[in-house]
Each structure stands twice: as structure tokens, then as C-alpha cells.
Amino acid sequence: MRDRVRKLGLVVALVGLVAGVGHAQQGGGGRPAQPPEVAFVLVPAQIDADGRSVIGSVGFRDDDGDIALARFEVVRAGAFDPFAFDPLVQGVVKGSFEFFAFSKIPQQVTLSVTLVDKTGNESAPFEFSFAAVTQAPEPGGAPVFLYQWGRGLPSPNALNNPQGVVSDGAGNLYVADTGNHRVLSFDAQGKLRFIRGGLGEGDGEFSAPRALAVDSANRLYVVDTGNHRIQKFDADGTLLTRWGVRGVGVGQFNLPTAITLGLNDQVYVVDTDNSRIQVFDAQGNYLFQWGGFGAEPSRFQFPEGIETGPDGNLYVADTGNDSVKVFDPQGNFLRSWGGPGSEAGLFDQPRDIAIDASGLVYVAEKGARRVQIFDLHGEFISLLSTFGPDFTQVQNPTSVALDPEGLVYVAGGDGALMQFTPEGRLLNTLASPAAEFADTLETPLGLAANAAGHVYVVDGPNHQVLKYSANGHMVDK
């Protein structure tokens, strides 16, 4: 969600209001005043530009429990006024509160929130972004839908803005339930296996978990973004280990957002706000790192995606530098391609990467709103999809994934899920933003495919997970 790279000049009509009572521990008093801290901001990556309000939340920590003001300021936008309010969290040392936002026209918004306590101490400003979009017209033909779970389920099973999904070798599914600060596991038919987590900093607790990975022994790695750490579980949800705290030192993180596994289950973590990649063994022991903020070949500007190629090399979506950079498993720079622009082979905020067994590299761009195909050396092959209103086009692709047969699935910010051949020929529009369809997607934020060729889609704002077959046939529950 955080968009630190330059973007559009905008004309905007957006208002923020408060709802909100903090929750969690009570405390404060008797100690020298300490500045509050913003732990996370959750807001849909996209909202409808129709004036309807959406709810966001701000996570905080304040040892004195005396936050008196939440101040929202404009970083990038047009006709937009800053706003502030009392979040009504007096006496709460750790928790969250809500705010409302809406937009009447399509545009991109970046705001910062600063928390101020009674004595005037201020937190560091925390930036976040979202896009207001006009939904695409209904695609032709009915979507092919298997079944869904999450939305409408009674508590405690209901999902809240899930943003990550992965499947293991046994067909089990793991969902990062970001808004509820937990991880859920389902079997292949959508039956709940277990729930782990809840908001907190203790063992097995989370703060806005965003990305997941599974190793060769079906052990689960969770990017605990708001707590700036990685937690590792076995296939039944038992915590095995955890590592990381907020910071810039070795083994520390500042908003990690993506993860991939390499040879011997080495763990590669995209440490986004430190603009680096850190590498650990399967037990969480620090091995090495590379990167740092900059435009040089081995440096990054707020990278957001990473994938391991069939050659064992690491392919990184260097979002702020508008490039894809390739490194060997030891972090040595090999090559890069791209550069800012909208022409073929150039990028505008590359966000996600998928690589098939034959070496085709699919790159989803959130700025140019398209998916490009390259070979492993960065030679442009073709466009898989481009921005546009018709049923062969995707608005703002958020994720790209591959199934075992090599078919490509693109999730778009308009709520569409499309299936392509590796060469870029559209096979199916599996889901659409049309309201009358049971499998309506609002902002699909994650994709995963299992060995059986089923595709799982995390639809964040609709709080659901949906399952599709590669050939469009229903599977038994």
C-alpha cells in the first residue's frame, strides 16, 4: 500500500472522518513522556471513485497512553484538505482506531498520518496510498466460479482485508488475514483447519501480516509486516521460530512486504523501507544482505516483489527504480532491465513477478497497469495485458501467478481475474467486477496456484478467498 515513488498530478475530492475506539492493553502514566508510534495503516489499495466511504484503520503504540490527535496530511494530491481528529484512545497503550475516506473522481492519493500526544510529542509521519478508480464495464460472458469462503462467515472465521495467500504440497491453503492480524489455514475444499494470531507482539501474534511462503517441508513463513519480523510455523500452525525487530541493523526490518525461498530453503525477504534484501537460513539465522537505497545496480528504491527463477537466481521488482534486477543466490548483481517509461520493455512501478518453468518472466506494473513478458535475460517478448475497458484488458494488475500447466493468471484492481496462455492469448475471464456475479472481486491482492491447477484468489476489500479451476469445471467441496 505504501507508495513512496513519484506519481500522478491529481485533482481530488476526498474527506477523512473518524470512527474509532482503540482496543488492547490499558496503561500509561508515571513515566517521562514518550512519543507515540504508528505501527501500520490499513486501507484498501483501491476504492471506487463514486463518493462512497471506505474504512481504514491506524495501528499505534504509545507507552504513555495519552494520544490526543491524529493528523492526516497530504503528500501527493490535488484539491485536498488535510484533516485531524481526536481518535478517542486515551489510556490505551497499543491498539488501533478507524477513519473514513472517499473520493468522487478517479485519482491517486498519498497521505501521511502523525500521532500527537497531550504533551506535544509527535510520532514519525507514516505514509500510505490508495487509488480511486472507475470500475470497468462488465466483461462479456459469465465468469467461471468454483466456490468461496471468508466473506459472510460467522466470527471468528470471517476475513478482513486479506492480502496474502499460499498453498502447500498437501493442498492446504494459508491466508494472511491482514485486517484481523492473523493467519488462517483451510484444506483444499475450504474447510477451516486452524487460526493463528491476533493483534500483538508476542509469539504467534501479528500486526498486519502481508506475505507468505511455504518451504519444501510444508513449513509456513509469515511476513509480519507491522511487527517488522518473520514468524515460522509447521504445517499444523505450531510456532517454530521468529526473528526480526524494527530497525536498520543486521536481521532487522522496516516494513518487510515480500518473501521467496531459494536453494536449500534459504529465505529471501524484501525489506521494503530499508530498500534491501536480507537472507536467512531456514532457522532464521542471518546469512547476508544486499541493497540499500539508491539507483546503482545493486541498490533499490522501495522494492515490492521478488521471485526465484528456475535458474536459482533472484528476480526483484525494484519499484522505485522502475526496473527488474537479477542477482545470483549470493546476492551478486547479474543484470537488470527496464527504466522509467510506458514503452515496451520499460516500467512504471513494477510490483509483482512470476516466472514459469521455461523461463518466461511476467512483470505486473501498478503504474502502467499492464503485464509484460520477458525472457530470463530481460528481452521483451510481448504484452500479456494492458490497461483498458474491454474484456481483454486489465485495470491496474496487482498480482500475477502461474499454474503447473504454465497458464498465467492476472488479478486486476478493477476486480477482474483473467487467464492467459504463456504467449498472452486470453483464454477466460474468470471473474469480473460486475455486482451480480457471486464471485465478484473488488481488489484481488494475492494469487496462488496448487499442483492440481486450482487457483486461489485473495479478494481483500470483499474479505473472501475464491477458488477457480484451470478448465472452468466445478470441483467437489
Side-chain angles (χ1 to χ4, degrees):
M1 290 193 302
R2 307 197 54 212
D3 187 355
R4 290 290 189 83
V5 261
R6 84 280 173 270
K7 222 43 268 145
L8 314 172
L10 306 166
V11 178
V12 111
L14 182 137
V15 177
L17 302 172
V18 64
V21 178
H23 26 128
Q25 306 161 202
Q26 307 295 313
R31 299 183 302 277
Q34 300 294 320
E37 177 185 357
V38 179
F40 60 86
V41 176
L42 293 177
V43 67
Q46 291 193 344
I47 67 173
D48 290 333
D50 59 2
R52 291 185 296 174
S53 295
V54 298
I55 298 176
S57 64
V58 177
F60 67 89
R61 177 172 181 170
D62 182 40
D63 291 341
D64 303 301
D66 62 348
I67 294 174
L69 186 72
R71 186 175 69 234
F72 291 75
E73 296 177 300
V74 180
V75 178
R76 284 181 293 274
F80 181 85
D81 292 327
F83 60 96
F85 54 81
D86 181 352
L88 304 177
V89 291
Q90 293 290 318
V92 182
V93 300
K94 184 172 66 175
S96 63
F97 59 85
E98 295 178 340
F99 64 94
F100 298 110
F102 68 83
S103 178
K104 294 182 179 179
I105 61 172
Q107 44 84 31
Q108 181 88 17
V109 179
T110 299
L111 305 177
S112 70
V113 57
T114 302
L115 303 180
V116 185
D117 66 19
K118 284 184 175 181
T119 60
N121 292 315
E122 296 189 358
S123 69
F126 190 106
E127 290 187 13
F128 63 97
S129 300
F130 59 90
V133 300
T134 300
Q135 299 286 13
E138 175 185 335
V144 179
F145 176 61
L146 296 181
Y147 50 86
Q148 68 184 33
W149 56 89
R151 184 173 62 177
L153 290 176
S155 181
N157 298 345
L159 303 178
N160 182 7
N161 196 26
Q163 294 192 25
V165 62
V166 69
S167 62
D168 65 18
N172 299 312
L173 188 73
Y174 304 89
V175 179
D177 188 10
T178 307
N180 284 327
H181 314 287
R182 62 186 184 175
V183 171
L184 293 81
S185 178
F186 302 88
D187 65 19
Q189 287 71 46
K191 181 180 178 181
L192 182 68
R193 298 178 63 238
F194 62 77
I195 298 175
R196 296 292 182 269
L199 179 61
E201 299 176 344
D203 290 348
E205 295 179 324
F206 302 108
S207 176
R210 285 185 55 180
L212 307 170
V214 172
D215 68 15
S216 58
N218 290 337
R219 294 171 297 214
L220 175 70
Y221 299 77
V222 181
V223 178
D224 189 4
T225 301
N227 282 327
H228 313 281
R229 66 185 181 184
I230 306 300
Q231 297 200 66
K232 177 183 174 182
F233 300 82
D234 68 17
D236 295 319
T238 300
L239 181 68
L240 299 176
T241 189
R242 63 173 183 160
W243 67 91
V245 295
R246 187 171 192 173
V248 300
V250 167
Q252 299 177 335
F253 301 107
N254 192 358
L255 291 179
T257 59
I259 189 170
T260 190
L261 301 179
L263 299 175
N264 301 316
D265 287 333
Q266 284 190 347
V267 183
Y268 295 80
V269 181
V270 177
D271 188 7
T272 297
D273 275 26
N274 284 328
S275 293
R276 65 185 178 182
I277 308 299
Q278 295 199 70
V279 189
F280 305 85
D281 65 20
Q283 288 71 47
N285 298 306
Y286 172 83
L287 299 176
F288 59 90
Q289 63 175 291
W290 73 89
F293 187 85
E296 297 88 346
S298 292
R299 292 181 176 269
F300 307 105
Q301 291 189 30
F302 309 108
E304 294 188 25
I306 190 169
E307 181 67 287
T308 304
D311 52 5
N313 293 325
L314 286 304
Y315 294 72
V316 180
D318 188 3
T319 308
N321 282 321
D322 295 310
S323 62
V324 170
K325 294 182 176 179
V326 187
F327 303 85
D328 69 19
Q330 289 72 47
N332 298 306
F333 175 79
L334 299 176
R335 57 188 174 273
S336 67
W337 68 85
S342 57
E343 296 83 6
L346 302 179
F347 297 115
D348 188 354
Q349 300 182 74
R351 174 178 183 168
D352 196 21
I353 295 180
I355 305 175
D356 69 17
S358 70
L360 292 179
V361 182
Y362 301 82
V363 182
E365 299 170 70
K366 62 181 179 181
R369 302 183 181 186
R370 64 185 180 183
V371 176
Q372 298 189 71
I373 308 175
F374 302 86
D375 67 18
L376 291 174
H377 296 280
E379 290 296 322
F380 173 79
I381 295 176
S382 66
L383 281 174
L384 182 77
S385 68
T386 57
F387 170 72
D390 69 61
F391 74 97
T392 67
Q393 298 169 306
V394 176
Q395 290 197 23
N396 192 17
T398 55
S399 281
V400 58
L402 306 169
D403 72 11
E405 301 301 319
L407 297 178
V408 185
Y409 299 81
V410 179
D414 59 344
L417 175 65
M418 296 182 176
Q419 180 195 62
F420 297 85
T421 66
E423 297 75 30
R425 180 171 60 88
L426 179 69
L427 293 178
N428 288 301
T429 298
L430 300 177
S432 82
E436 64 267 26
F437 289 132
D439 58 329
T440 296
L441 302 178
E442 184 174 340
T443 306
L445 296 172
L447 285 173
N450 65 17
H454 300 133
V455 178
Y456 301 90
V457 185
V458 169
D459 186 15
N462 277 332
H463 316 302
Q464 61 183 341
V465 177
L466 302 100
K467 180 180 179 181
Y468 299 86
S469 66
N471 58 16
H473 293 151
M474 179 75 75
V475 295
D476 293 332
K477 295 185 179 181

